[in-house]
Amino acid sequence: MTAIKGARERARGEITAAIKDEARKQLAAEGAAKLSLRAVARELGMVSSALYRYFPSRDDLLTALILDAYNAVGQAAETALAAADARRGRRGGAAAATPAARWTAVCRAVREWALAHPHEYALIYGSPVPGYRAPETTAEPAGRVARALIEVVRDAYAAGALREPDDPLPDAVVGDMLTLVAEQGVELPAGVAARLVGAWAQLFGLVGFELFGQFNRVIEAREEFFEQAVLQLARSVGLPTPAR
Amino acid sequence: MTAIKGARERARGEITAAIKDEARKQLAAEGAAKLSLRAVARELGMVSSALYRYFPSRDDLLTALILDAYNAVGQAAETALAAADARRGRRGGAAAATPAARWTAVCRAVREWALAHPHEYALIYGSPVPGYRAPETTAEPAGRVARALIEVVRDAYAAGALREPDDPLPDAVVGDMLTLVAEQGVELPAGVAARLVGAWAQLFGLVGFELFGQFNRVIEAREEFFEQAVLQLARSVGLPTPAR
DNA sequence: ACGCGACGAGAGCACTGCTCTCGTTCGTGA
DNA sequence: TCACGAACGAGAGCAGTGCTCTCGTCGCGT
């Protein structure tokens, strides 16, 4: 896919990447609010107006960073899931790790990525900074973490290892869940899907609270607490968990 | 407490309030990023420098708004809890409503306040906008919602209506929970406290996801979904829930 | 009644996002 | 091959921002 495009197009790609890199650096250093086009340009040795050849506005730069961030967490979640399976495979067991292990692997990856990139996490899961807009292109990368979680649950369900919840579900929610599983092309009962969506949102509640300081003076053993909470989340969607 | 403080001090209070009101208006209209001291001053018919007599910096204004917002959600949660009890009392039953009803009342109040004041919610539970600082004074109001939830669980526990979780808890977490319940002066097993903290964080995960658009094209029946998820949260801390 | 401190106005500094213009350079179609 | 248009970088400039400093004025306690 990296065809040899004339020097111009090539340069464009490199410069675009350099701008994003520098912007990410400033983002990590000072947060989204302090990200300044002029400062980025200055650092790159160009004048601010030149930067507008690459990004039509500051918000567009931010949007690009948001997209990259979504893909980064998604990637982290996916590779963590694959790594968990690979580890298990190497140990000689089944091809895939236990559902609980896979679930925690994904959750842990999200948390660790968030701790390593707090400002980028804030960009995507904190308050929407620009003008409340979520372009269509954002939807797909934004779902990667969710899809990793879905995969874990779907596999467990297919293996008959899922304990289905017996709670009644409001009809409207059942409808939403049916269209959701249809869209995602997975076979999952509505009740499980609803628990899954809930667990998905709650996962980011846990991570966000830790990251944004709500756990200050409340919880010190953050990692242990997270681990335990995530296991409970797994249980709530019906995944079998070890040693309760 | 509203002693007659001479016209000057009186004026100071009124102007401070007017500034905060106007700032809140701009916050609601455009979000924290667009909140401008100059615009606030302009709207109030004064010059920007005059505003610095009341707030030493833009961040200080924001901090004041954050504090007010924490108190507003807290207040909403508390009155919702009291209202639930009052309703139940009027109907002739016990003095307090059922634990599940009280729990959902608090959660619902948080969600409704968030939907009514999205930008203020983002200010306190979204990314920390200013310089990552959480002044000591923030801690107390920030805990009001949590304390309302604690109250629900504590009362249920005191009434013997709580089903204690039997999961093992990491020792470090147990320690955190013991100091937490000691600080809060409530009598609660560590396991319940841990579940409670988790549920607390997860509640805001649910609300945040709905508010920040992560549920777009995923869930349409937001209210029903929330209601169901919150009930499950109640169950996870051991509260008895009706009709499962 | 005096004087100190709080106050509002205004000018000004350094910075921001963004626009417009103007030469230059590159790539491509004739 | 070469000429023309598109892409590009530099610079000036505009409107707006947070914040500081100075300077009259007015209110209140001594």
Side-chain angles (χ1 to χ4, degrees):
Chain A
M1 252 315 183
T2 49
I4 317 162
K5 310 281 217 167
R8 197 149 210 172
E9 214 155 320
R10 186 187 185 79
R12 183 166 235 289
E14 279 175 19
I15 295 182
T16 306
I19 291 174
K20 287 206 286 186
D21 278 357
E22 179 58 34
R24 229 184 315 266
K25 210 169 359 173
Q26 293 200 13
L27 190 67
E30 294 275 16
K34 296 281 179 75
L35 200 172
S36 140
L37 278 193
R38 290 183 112 109
V40 170
R42 208 179 301 133
E43 209 67 24
L44 260 50
M46 32 170 143
V47 88
S48 73
S49 59
L51 216 143
Y52 283 83
R53 304 278 179 193
Y54 301 89
F55 295 93
S57 82
R58 197 193 102 116
D59 280 6
D60 287 86
L61 213 198
L62 273 184
T63 305
L65 294 184
I66 288 177
L67 229 134
D68 286 0
Y70 271 128
N71 277 314
V73 231
Q75 180 80 23
E78 287 161 15
T79 66
L81 179 52
D85 287 344
R87 250 196 316 279
R88 171 67 171 188
R90 217 179 308 115
R91 275 219 308 271
T98 73
R102 303 177 88 209
W103 176 270
T104 36
V106 172
C107 294
R108 222 186 323 235
V110 170
R111 173 172 178 268
E112 273 160 17
W113 187 90
L115 292 180
H117 309 86
H119 284 112
E120 289 182 68
Y121 181 90
L123 203 56
I124 55 182
Y125 292 111
S127 1
V129 199
Y132 252 140
R133 166 203 32 169
E136 197 60 29
T137 52
T138 294
E140 194 273 333
R144 285 178 70 172
V145 169
R147 270 191 299 281
L149 293 177
I150 290 177
E151 189 184 326
V152 172
V153 177
R154 184 244 289 147
D155 291 351
Y157 179 69
L162 206 65
R163 179 179 39 77
E164 277 190 50
D166 50 354
D167 301 51
L169 214 56
D171 286 348
V173 177
V174 172
D176 284 350
M177 290 304 125
L178 291 183
T179 71
L180 181 62
V181 298
E183 271 176 22
Q184 295 291 328
V186 294
E187 203 157 330
L188 234 41
V192 175
R195 304 301 196 96
L196 183 49
V197 174
W200 171 58
Q202 292 164 23
L203 164 63
F204 288 93
L206 285 168
V207 174
F209 261 36
E210 173 173 354
L211 204 62
F212 298 157
Q214 304 277 4
F215 282 167
N216 291 350
R217 313 178 168 277
V218 176
I219 296 176
E220 300 306 324
R222 308 270 162 88
E223 187 166 344
E224 290 89 337
F225 178 82
F226 180 78
E227 212 74 16
Q228 167 264 342
V230 153
L231 256 186
Q232 193 199 331
L233 238 34
R235 221 167 290 144
S236 85
V237 307
L239 257 32
T241 57
R244 52 177 299 144
Chain B
M1 254 306 182
T2 50
I4 317 161
K5 294 286 225 172
R8 199 150 210 172
E9 214 153 322
R10 185 186 186 79
R12 182 166 236 288
E14 280 174 20
I15 295 183
T16 305
I19 293 174
K20 287 206 287 185
D21 279 357
E22 179 57 35
R24 229 184 314 267
K25 210 171 357 176
Q26 293 199 13
L27 190 67
E30 294 274 17
K34 296 282 179 75
L35 200 172
S36 142
L37 277 192
R38 291 182 111 111
V40 170
R42 209 179 302 133
E43 210 67 23
L44 260 49
M46 34 171 142
V47 89
S48 74
S49 59
L51 216 144
Y52 284 82
R53 302 279 179 193
Y54 300 88
F55 295 93
S57 84
R58 196 192 102 116
D59 280 5
D60 287 86
L61 213 198
L62 272 185
T63 306
L65 293 184
I66 287 177
L67 229 134
D68 287 0
Y70 272 127
N71 277 315
V73 232
Q75 181 79 24
E78 288 161 13
T79 66
L81 180 53
D85 287 343
R87 251 196 317 279
R88 170 67 174 189
R90 218 179 305 116
R91 275 219 309 269
T98 72
R102 303 177 87 208
W103 175 269
T104 37
V106 172
C107 294
R108 224 189 318 240
V110 170
R111 172 172 178 269
E112 274 160 16
W113 187 90
L115 291 179
H117 309 85
H119 284 111
E120 288 182 70
Y121 181 90
L123 202 57
I124 55 181
Y125 292 110
S127 1
V129 200
Y132 252 139
R133 165 204 31 172
E136 199 59 29
T137 51
T138 294
E140 193 272 333
R144 286 179 70 172
V145 169
R147 270 191 298 279
L149 293 176
I150 290 177
E151 189 183 326
V152 172
V153 178
R154 184 243 291 148
D155 291 351
Y157 179 70
L162 206 64
R163 177 180 42 78
E164 276 189 51
D166 50 355
D167 301 49
L169 215 55
D171 287 348
V173 177
V174 172
D176 284 350
M177 290 304 124
L178 291 183
T179 71
L180 182 62
V181 298
E183 272 176 19
Q184 295 290 327
V186 293
E187 203 154 332
L188 235 41
V192 175
R195 304 299 195 99
L196 184 48
V197 174
W200 171 59
Q202 292 165 24
L203 163 65
F204 288 94
L206 286 169
V207 174
F209 260 36
E210 173 174 354
L211 204 64
F212 297 157
Q214 305 276 5
F215 281 167
N216 291 351
R217 310 177 170 277
V218 177
I219 297 177
E220 300 307 322
R222 309 271 162 86
E223 186 164 346
E224 291 88 337
F225 178 83
F226 180 78
E227 211 74 16
Q228 167 263 344
V230 153
L231 256 186
Q232 194 198 333
L233 238 34
R235 220 168 293 144
S236 85
V237 308
L239 294 177
T241 56
R244 49 177 303 145

